[in-house]
Amino acid sequence: MNQRLHNLQAWMKENGIEVSFITSSENVFYLSGFFTNPHERLLGLAMFQEEEPFLICPGMEVNDVKKSGWNHEIIGYSDIDNPWELVLTSINKRIGAVRNAAIEKEHMNVERYEELKSLFPSASFVSAEEKMRKLRMIKDAKELKVMEEACALADYAIEVGCSEIKEGRTELDVLNAVEYALKKKGVTEMSFSTMVLTGANAASPHGNPGNTKIQKGDLVLFDLGVVVERYCSDITRTVAYGDINDKQKEIYDTVLKAQLAAIEVSKPGATAAEVDLTARRIISDAGYGEYFPHRLGHGLGISVHEYPSMTETNQLVIEEGMVYTIEPGIYVPGVAGVRIEDDVFITADGAKVLTNFPKELQILK
Amino acid sequence: MNQRLHNLQAWMKENGIEVSFITSSENVFYLSGFFTNPHERLLGLAMFQEEEPFLICPGMEVNDVKKSGWNHEIIGYSDIDNPWELVLTSINKRIGAVRNAAIEKEHMNVERYEELKSLFPSASFVSAEEKMRKLRMIKDAKELKVMEEACALADYAIEVGCSEIKEGRTELDVLNAVEYALKKKGVTEMSFSTMVLTGANAASPHGNPGNTKIQKGDLVLFDLGVVVERYCSDITRTVAYGDINDKQKEIYDTVLKAQLAAIEVSKPGATAAEVDLTARRIISDAGYGEYFPHRLGHGLGISVHEYPSMTETNQLVIEEGMVYTIEPGIYVPGVAGVRIEDDVFITADGAKVLTNFPKELQILK
């Protein structure tokens, strides 16, 4: 049994949970190595304290589950089977009446919950989500390797984006060129909708790319990420097209200083709040506190937003193996919008930065 | 109050439902004209038998709700408010203790359901989803207009795709060129992952586009759709690159004959089953029954798959205003994969075909 299943099992034993029934694609993938989007069909991974786990999925996916490396029981069902009856039988074969079960209460819908409650009338249900988030927060060597690849492609995307900034080009022109170049490299999915923002658009933290032409003297903000083997990267760079004014430069330098300082304090033993506040104080001291309206960053992995949440109030202690973004920003309407974002992996010695496109202000001619 | 809200209200009165609390982005959009993806935040539209409806959303979205044309109460909340308390207060202001409420049981998660049950301990909850599906099944003139635009762009995409089929090009090359051309037309979202499949790949109903080069003598299958103002189109065309053999031609002709016949019988009063079976019999009679493994089609609108489901067992009666796909296919491994798909709108006189790229076999040189 793999380490991830062992970790879930240890939690179940501590909390007297007899069965965990995990149904979200992301968590099934995390625990089993098998990914599918089952749409309206049932996908589930059942884990026990002692007994053999099983995975239930549509029949046509059984071979893919085997190929993914899952070497426990697989239950395939056809469109005329009732998969819930198979779940009931398979659980009852292993354990008697279920009293304490864990499900994903944020993921599971009410319709399924009512089905499950009628199958297991004596069970009470707790949520497995918080535990799953904590397990996923610490990355192993295999996950790091994939995320490094995703980050290298994000760097490449910024490089392409910079080379595409030219007289007369719009935000969408540059965005399309970036995504086209990535597709040629085999990328089939971005972590989220790619952002290329300029001028007034970049000075809003919630702008959307459009037909605005990039003008000399503008800052251009890229925020994008690439998915590699289900893992996300996430990078932001802000570059100048032609010469920019002193105020814009001051804002850029402040964000960069804050970003570097937050990387510096990112190490085991620090808290998320300390890391956020390190950057936030630098920005406040420079007089831009009110223009940094969001948290410093977020964990990254199978989801583009996961634990840890890098806020000024989160007392969570940073540990080896965490991967998170560090992305301070200053957005002054009418003046400039600047954000600089890296993905970092925490080692015993501190943060290893996974995104490596240069951060000194790039002035494109 | 708009007609859609009236329709929901009529259903509530018939069924003694005092409040409907609608939380899915698609259904809130359908009823209010306002679309947002609230991520983990609460979005809800509350509808009553007599009292004024209200919409609750994150505070920063209140202005967008107003702009969307919603002219009933809007409740914006900040990140420090408890939106559920606002829901409770706003419902209690209108009606007393809630006994019968409707929610979307497939959409709502267990966490929220438990919250709602604790706020309304005397309420029983039924599902509003089936009713919402039936309401959305009949399109009005405004919806038709938007879907016609989405279909015209789908036609254009096929035209681009055909012009990009050349010696040495791969499936992904052609796919990228199609999506790039659409982006230049302002398209920001596809209905689903675009399919460009050739050779053996096209002969599987579940192929994925890859680096397979398109060869002379191959059929190339395009399946794609464009989203315009939240409404989806969906088209499939299969074209020949160079001369194809007689067996491939026979398969193409059979699919086309089946597709045209299903369009012909699509009119008010027919059942979904009759429409499906009209195509299915033609394919079976030609000896290819076992190679047509899926339903004839599906409803289309805000979702790419909605009601009606065009299966051989669905006795639902076709009505004016329905929009659905007609997409028979034959997939013979090692020989050919052919599917032809149109979107049709049902009028009193029969089916109006919304997708218009030619269906006579296109032989590209």
Side-chain angles (χ1 to χ4, degrees):
Chain A
M1 203 164 61
N2 71 43
Q3 188 57 47
R4 298 177 189 176
L5 290 170
H6 267 299
N7 292 341
L8 178 62
Q9 202 173 50
W11 171 76
M12 292 171 63
K13 287 180 183 170
E14 273 165 37
N15 293 278
I17 295 161
E18 295 146 341
V19 55
S20 290
F21 192 59
I22 302 295
T23 50
S24 70
S25 291
E26 291 78 8
N27 283 337
V28 169
F29 171 66
Y30 179 77
L31 292 171
S32 72
F34 170 66
F35 185 88
T36 188
N37 178 348
H39 300 285
E40 74 284 7
R41 291 195 178 91
L42 178 67
L43 168 75
L45 185 157
M47 187 69 203
F48 303 87
Q49 289 194 17
E50 304 291 344
E51 297 76 10
E52 180 83 350
F54 69 84
L55 194 152
I56 181 163
C57 65
M60 60 184 166
E61 313 226 36
V62 167
N63 276 326
D64 290 334
V65 180
K66 283 181 194 157
K67 276 190 244 163
S68 73
W70 175 258
N71 49 22
H72 307 286
E73 192 185 0
I74 307 169
I75 300 164
Y77 60 87
S78 75
D79 278 349
I80 55 167
D81 290 331
N82 178 346
W84 294 102
E85 282 174 16
L86 298 173
V87 170
L88 179 64
T89 315
S90 306
I91 290 179
N92 281 347
K93 228 165 48 185
R94 288 165 169 83
I95 57 177
V98 176
R99 285 154 307 168
N100 294 303
I103 56 171
E104 293 157 285
K105 289 194 175 182
E106 283 179 43
H107 175 260
M108 185 172 284
N109 70 27
V110 177
E111 191 168 278
R112 288 193 168 175
Y113 185 54
E114 291 182 342
E115 187 96 42
L116 214 47
K117 286 207 298 187
S118 75
L119 291 179
F120 299 100
S122 59
S124 67
F125 293 88
V126 298
S127 187
E129 262 141 347
E130 186 66 11
K131 182 62 191 176
M132 289 304 303
R133 287 197 189 99
K134 286 181 181 162
L135 290 177
R136 280 170 52 180
M137 186 164 64
I138 307 298
K139 270 69 181 178
D140 61 27
K142 195 177 146 197
E143 291 176 294
L144 173 62
K145 190 166 167 293
V146 175
M147 294 189 77
E148 283 176 328
E149 281 179 50
C151 287
L153 283 163
D155 287 336
Y156 169 72
I158 301 287
E159 193 187 316
V160 172
C162 288
S163 73
E164 292 290 335
I165 294 175
K166 286 178 189 134
E167 195 65 43
R169 295 274 174 91
T170 66
E171 294 166 342
L172 276 175
D173 288 339
V174 174
L175 187 162
N176 289 338
V178 168
E179 292 196 345
Y180 192 59
L182 288 171
K183 284 196 174 172
K184 282 201 221 164
K185 290 252 183 194
V187 170
T188 57
E189 193 183 350
M190 303 299 290
S191 305
F192 51 88
S193 292
T194 298
M195 294 285 153
V196 179
L197 302 171
T198 188
N201 230 353
S204 150
H206 295 290
N208 273 315
N211 289 315
T212 310
K213 282 192 179 160
I214 301 169
Q215 312 269 355
K216 284 268 167 149
D218 273 351
L219 289 164
V220 183
L221 186 154
F222 295 93
D223 188 354
L224 56 87
V226 173
V227 180
V228 172
E229 294 177 33
R230 307 280 157 210
Y231 282 80
C232 299
S233 59
D234 190 357
I235 190 172
T236 305
R237 288 293 184 271
T238 309
V239 301
Y241 180 45
D243 293 317
I244 57 172
N245 63 39
D246 288 348
K247 195 75 188 164
Q248 290 171 317
K249 268 188 206 138
E250 181 190 298
I251 290 173
Y252 190 93
D253 291 343
T254 305
V255 173
L256 181 54
K257 196 174 152 199
Q259 208 256 356
L260 293 171
I263 293 174
E264 190 60 37
V265 298
S266 283
K267 53 186 62 165
T271 65
E274 282 163 17
V275 178
D276 176 287
L277 284 168
T278 297
R280 200 166 297 279
R281 276 191 209 110
I282 290 171
I283 289 174
S284 294
D285 289 350
Y288 293 106
E290 64 180 301
Y291 301 108
F292 175 23
H294 56 72
R295 61 182 172 177
L296 180 72
H298 52 83
L300 192 68
I302 299 170
S303 299
V304 69
H305 289 158
E306 50 181 64
Y307 277 10
S309 182
M310 304 300 290
T311 69
E312 57 187 304
T313 54
N314 188 356
Q315 296 305 323
L316 181 85
V317 175
I318 303 299
E319 287 176 57
E320 275 188 68
M322 288 183 179
V323 173
Y324 56 84
T325 70
I326 297 184
E327 48 176 312
I330 297 177
Y331 318 90
V332 185
V335 181
V338 173
R339 185 168 61 251
I340 303 173
E341 174 185 29
D342 283 318
D343 304 339
V344 302
F345 172 77
I346 303 301
T347 72
D349 302 325
K352 179 181 178 187
V353 180
L354 306 181
T355 37
N356 289 302
F357 189 87
K359 290 187 286 194
E360 314 83 72
L361 179 61
Q362 307 286 305
I363 300 179
L364 308 171
K365 296 293 174 183
Chain B
M1 203 165 63
N2 72 44
Q3 187 57 48
R4 298 177 189 176
L5 290 171
H6 267 300
N7 292 340
L8 179 61
Q9 202 172 50
W11 171 77
M12 290 170 64
K13 286 180 184 171
E14 273 165 37
N15 292 279
I17 295 161
E18 296 145 339
V19 54
S20 290
F21 192 60
I22 302 296
T23 50
S24 71
S25 291
E26 292 78 9
N27 284 337
V28 169
F29 170 65
Y30 179 76
L31 294 171
S32 72
F34 170 67
F35 185 89
T36 188
N37 178 348
H39 299 286
E40 75 284 6
R41 290 195 178 92
L42 177 67
L43 168 74
L45 185 157
M47 187 68 204
F48 303 88
Q49 289 193 18
E50 304 291 344
E51 298 75 11
E52 178 84 350
F54 70 84
L55 195 152
I56 181 164
C57 66
M60 61 184 166
E61 313 226 35
V62 167
N63 276 325
D64 290 335
V65 180
K66 283 180 194 158
K67 277 190 244 164
S68 73
W70 175 258
N71 48 21
H72 307 286
E73 192 186 0
I74 307 168
I75 300 165
Y77 60 87
S78 74
D79 277 348
I80 55 167
D81 290 331
N82 179 345
W84 294 102
E85 282 174 16
L86 298 173
V87 169
L88 179 64
T89 315
S90 306
I91 290 179
N92 281 347
K93 227 165 49 185
R94 287 165 169 84
I95 56 177
V98 176
R99 285 154 309 168
N100 294 303
I103 56 171
E104 293 158 284
K105 289 195 175 182
E106 282 179 43
H107 175 261
M108 185 171 285
N109 69 27
V110 176
E111 192 167 276
R112 288 192 168 175
Y113 185 54
E114 291 182 341
E115 188 97 41
L116 213 48
K117 286 207 298 187
S118 74
L119 291 179
F120 300 100
S122 60
S124 68
F125 294 88
V126 298
S127 187
E129 261 141 348
E130 186 67 11
K131 182 62 191 177
M132 289 304 305
R133 286 198 188 99
K134 286 180 180 162
L135 290 176
R136 281 171 51 181
M137 187 164 63
I138 308 298
K139 270 69 181 178
D140 61 27
K142 194 176 145 198
E143 290 176 295
L144 174 61
K145 189 167 168 292
V146 174
M147 294 189 76
E148 283 176 328
E149 281 178 51
C151 287
L153 282 164
D155 287 336
Y156 169 73
I158 301 288
E159 193 187 317
V160 172
C162 289
S163 73
E164 292 289 335
I165 294 176
K166 286 176 189 135
E167 195 66 44
R169 295 273 174 92
T170 66
E171 294 165 341
L172 276 177
D173 288 339
V174 174
L175 187 163
N176 289 338
V178 168
E179 293 196 344
Y180 192 60
L182 288 171
K183 284 194 174 173
K184 283 201 221 165
K185 291 251 181 195
V187 171
T188 56
E189 194 182 349
M190 303 299 290
S191 305
F192 51 88
S193 291
T194 299
M195 294 285 153
V196 179
L197 302 171
T198 188
N201 231 352
S204 151
H206 296 291
N208 273 314
N211 290 312
T212 309
K213 284 192 177 158
I214 301 168
Q215 312 268 356
K216 284 269 169 152
D218 273 351
L219 290 164
V220 182
L221 186 154
F222 294 93
D223 188 355
L224 57 86
V226 174
V227 180
V228 172
E229 293 177 34
R230 306 280 157 210
Y231 282 80
C232 300
S233 59
D234 190 357
I235 189 172
T236 306
R237 288 294 185 269
T238 309
V239 301
Y241 180 45
D243 294 317
I244 57 171
N245 63 38
D246 289 348
K247 197 74 189 164
Q248 290 171 317
K249 267 187 207 138
E250 181 190 299
I251 290 172
Y252 190 92
D253 291 343
T254 305
V255 174
L256 181 55
K257 196 174 151 197
Q259 208 256 356
L260 293 170
I263 293 174
E264 191 59 35
V265 298
S266 282
K267 52 186 63 163
T271 64
E274 283 163 17
V275 178
D276 177 287
L277 284 167
T278 298
R280 199 167 298 280
R281 277 191 207 109
I282 291 170
I283 289 173
S284 293
D285 289 351
Y288 293 106
E290 65 181 301
Y291 302 108
F292 175 23
H294 55 72
R295 62 182 172 176
L296 181 71
H298 52 83
L300 193 66
I302 299 169
S303 299
V304 70
H305 290 156
E306 50 180 63
Y307 277 11
S309 181
M310 305 300 291
T311 69
E312 59 187 302
T313 55
N314 188 357
Q315 296 305 321
L316 181 85
V317 175
I318 303 298
E319 289 176 57
E320 275 187 69
M322 288 182 180
V323 173
Y324 56 83
T325 70
I326 298 185
E327 49 177 310
I330 297 177
Y331 318 90
V332 185
V335 181
V338 173
R339 185 167 63 250
I340 303 173
E341 174 185 30
D342 283 319
D343 304 339
V344 303
F345 172 77
I346 303 301
T347 72
D349 301 325
K352 178 182 179 187
V353 180
L354 305 181
T355 36
N356 290 301
F357 190 88
K359 290 187 285 193
E360 313 83 72
L361 180 61
Q362 306 286 305
I363 300 179
L364 308 171
K365 295 293 173 184

